[in-house]
């Protein structure tokens, strides 16, 4: 009986430790997500804003809404393959921190759209959380900024 009690206590402690570690991972993920989706550029606001618009256009996104004063850019792109529609959308905030420092917050979503039996459309999108994905976007934005600077 004593061995069963000890074994039960060990199992319960292991479960609690695992649950605690998972809770910490989820907490860190929100901070990590903010870090991977935000990047600062030592460039003027207008250059970064226009470079972001140009980059989205060259990546075949439709710019559905933009506001130069607030720095908001909304984009989407639908890709159709066979009977499925794959969705990509993004929310970009370009923020002027000072005359030569601009911050870009980029949040991208991916999913698919399905047509129901009675014609209703069901969208299923979730945020893309991979650091490599955002690194690629920010590297491409940096290159577009440099390209535009060379044209000045």
């Amino acid at each position: 009986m004593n061995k069963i009690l000890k074994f039960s206590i060990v199992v319960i402690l292991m479960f609690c430790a695992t649950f605690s570690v998972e809770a910490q991972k989820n907490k860190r993920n929100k901070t990590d997500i903010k870090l991977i989706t935000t990047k600062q550029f030592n460039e003027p606001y207008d250059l970064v804003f226009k470079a972001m618009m140009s980059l989205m256009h060259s990546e075949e996104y439709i710019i559905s809404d933009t506001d130069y004063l607030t720095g908001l850019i909304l984009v989407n792109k639908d890709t159709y393959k066979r009977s499925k529609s794959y969705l990509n959308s993004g929310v970009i905030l370009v923020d002027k921190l000072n005359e030569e420092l601009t911050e870009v917050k980029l949040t991208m979503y991916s999913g698919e759209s399905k047509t129901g039996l009675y014609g209703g459309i069901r969208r299923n999108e979730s945020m893309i959380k991979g650091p490599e994905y955002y690194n690629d976007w920010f590297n491409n934005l940096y290159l577009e900024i440099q390209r535009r600077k060379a044209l000045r």
Side-chain angles (χ1 to χ4, degrees):
M1 180 75 172
N2 195 13
K3 289 182 180 180
I4 294 173
L5 180 61
K6 287 181 183 177
F7 179 74
S8 299
I9 290 172
V10 169
V11 169
I12 290 171
L13 288 174
M14 287 175 56
F15 175 76
C16 290
T18 302
F19 182 74
S20 176
V21 169
E22 287 301 316
Q24 287 298 323
K25 280 184 184 176
N26 288 337
K27 209 179 255 189
R28 277 183 291 182
N29 281 342
K30 291 179 183 177
T31 302
D32 291 343
I33 288 169
K34 184 176 182 179
L35 290 174
I36 65 172
T37 60
T38 305
K39 177 91 171 162
Q40 293 178 353
F41 295 91
N42 290 318
E43 303 295 344
Y45 172 81
D46 64 325
L47 177 63
V48 176
F49 186 87
K50 290 175 184 176
M52 180 55 88
M53 296 272 290
S54 177
L55 176 61
M56 287 297 163
H57 184 267
S58 67
E59 292 291 328
E60 299 178 358
Y61 278 82
I62 296 170
I63 299 169
S64 58
D65 198 5
T66 183
D67 185 351
Y68 184 79
L69 292 176
T70 64
L72 181 67
I73 304 169
L74 301 177
V75 297
N76 60 61
K77 175 167 70 170
D78 295 347
T79 307
Y80 300 96
K81 292 183 182 176
R82 299 185 188 187
S83 62
K84 290 185 180 178
S85 172
Y86 297 94
L87 311 169
N88 290 299
S89 60
V91 177
I92 302 122
L93 184 60
V94 181
D95 191 16
K96 178 181 179 179
L97 299 179
N98 63 43
E99 292 303 316
E100 291 297 320
L101 185 62
T102 305
E103 184 174 77
V104 176
K105 295 177 183 176
L106 172 68
T107 308
M108 300 299 285
Y109 298 88
S110 181
E112 62 183 49
S113 175
K114 295 181 182 176
T115 303
L117 292 174
Y118 301 106
I121 297 174
R122 186 177 53 162
R123 295 175 67 101
N124 182 18
E125 288 182 288
S126 60
M127 181 182 167
I128 300 170
K129 297 179 182 178
E132 301 85 16
Y133 181 83
Y134 290 97
N135 283 339
D136 287 346
W137 273 106
F138 288 129
N139 287 337
N140 289 338
L141 178 58
Y142 175 80
L143 292 173
E144 179 62 20
I145 290 169
Q146 297 309 310
R147 185 187 76 79
R148 288 178 158 269
K149 281 175 60 174
L151 294 174
R152 286 183 168 187

